[in-house]
């Protein structure tokens, strides 16, 4: 009996741990423009529960390891611009107020 419970636990664990237990809104603080909010939940809904799409290829999980990125670099495909290029998602070349208040 307990073997089955452990098995069920192991199957459920990844979905539970990787989805709603993480912090939804994380903020990226930039000296020039203040903080930009990023929603994990909205992105997981849009992309699937696929952490490795972003971690640690585009963003280090440890915020201290992410150096500030400029909009010019984003337009070249860095940071948010890896997807916000007008194809995968709306472009960083416009829609400023979608990310900046
Ligand atoms: C679409 C991109 C993207 C996806 C997918 C994503 N994250 Fe993140 N995550 C970010 C960004 C952006 C940050 C903030 C980085 C920063 O502050 O420099 C972050 C930060 C984090 C942090 C640090 C939070 C803090 O404030 O200390 C953790 C933990 C984390 N993510 C876990 C996950 C897990 C687990 C998944 C999969 C369920 C996931 N992330 C999926 C983009 C993503
Ligand atoms: C791995 C790809 C990916 C990365 C990286 C990414 N996004 Fe997104 N984002 C998406 C997709 C896909 C959508 C949904 C489609 C759309 O809105 O064009 C989205 C939607 C959004 C939305 C609209 C959410 C809503 O539904 O209202 C905001 C705001 C946003 N992203 C901000 C950011 C910010 C800020 C960053 C960088 C810190 C970022 N994204 C990085 C793929 C990504
Ligand atoms: C997909 C989300 C997103 C969109 C769209 C976006 N930005 Fe940003 N922007 C960010 C994030 C996140 C940062 C902070 C990056 C960092 O510090 O690593 C930032 C930083 C900046 C900075 C400071 C860095 C620099 O390049 O000087 C300025 C200025 C800026 N944005 C202006 C704009 C303008 C103007 C637009 C519209 C043409 C725009 N942003 C569109 C997410 C976005």
């Amino acid at each position: 009996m307990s073997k089955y419970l452990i098995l069920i636990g192991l199957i459920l664990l990844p979905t539970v741990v990787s989805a709603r237990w993480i912090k939804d809104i994380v903020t990226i603080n930039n000296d020039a423009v203040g903080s930009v909010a990023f929603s994990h939940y909205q992105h997981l809904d849009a992309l699937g529960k696929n952490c490795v799409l972003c971690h640690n290829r585009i963003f280090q999980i440890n915020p201290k390891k992410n150096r500030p990125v400029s909009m010019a670099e984003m337009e070249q495909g860095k940071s948010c611009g890896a997807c916000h290029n007008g194809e995968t998602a709306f472009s960083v070349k416009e829609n400023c107020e979608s990310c900046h208040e």
Side-chain angles (χ1 to χ4, degrees):
M1 187 61 197
S2 61
K3 271 187 196 155
Y4 290 108
L5 287 179
I6 291 169
L7 190 65
I8 290 167
L10 286 177
I11 292 165
L12 292 178
L13 194 66
T15 38
V16 174
V17 169
S18 66
R20 302 299 162 182
W21 285 22
I22 62 166
K23 198 166 22 164
D24 179 14
I25 307 292
V26 290
T27 53
I28 297 175
N29 297 309
N30 181 284
D31 290 344
V33 286
S35 67
V36 176
F38 169 89
S39 164
H40 268 119
Y41 293 0
Q42 279 175 350
H43 281 84
L44 295 177
D45 284 345
L47 297 160
K49 290 170 193 151
N50 200 348
C51 314
V52 294
L53 273 179
C54 292
H55 299 305
N56 286 316
R57 191 170 58 93
I58 307 175
F59 301 102
Q60 294 288 325
I61 276 189
N62 179 353
K64 290 191 195 110
K65 291 190 181 165
N66 290 316
R67 62 164 192 85
V69 175
S70 70
M71 291 313 300
E73 289 175 297
M74 282 191 218
E75 289 180 17
Q76 304 296 317
K78 292 263 160 58
S79 180
C80 317
C83 301
H84 287 275
N85 52 16
E87 288 172 28
T88 309
F90 63 83
S91 169
V92 290
K93 292 182 184 160
E94 44 206 41
N95 313 295
C96 317
E97 62 295 336
S98 298
C99 298
H100 297 286
E101 285 181 1

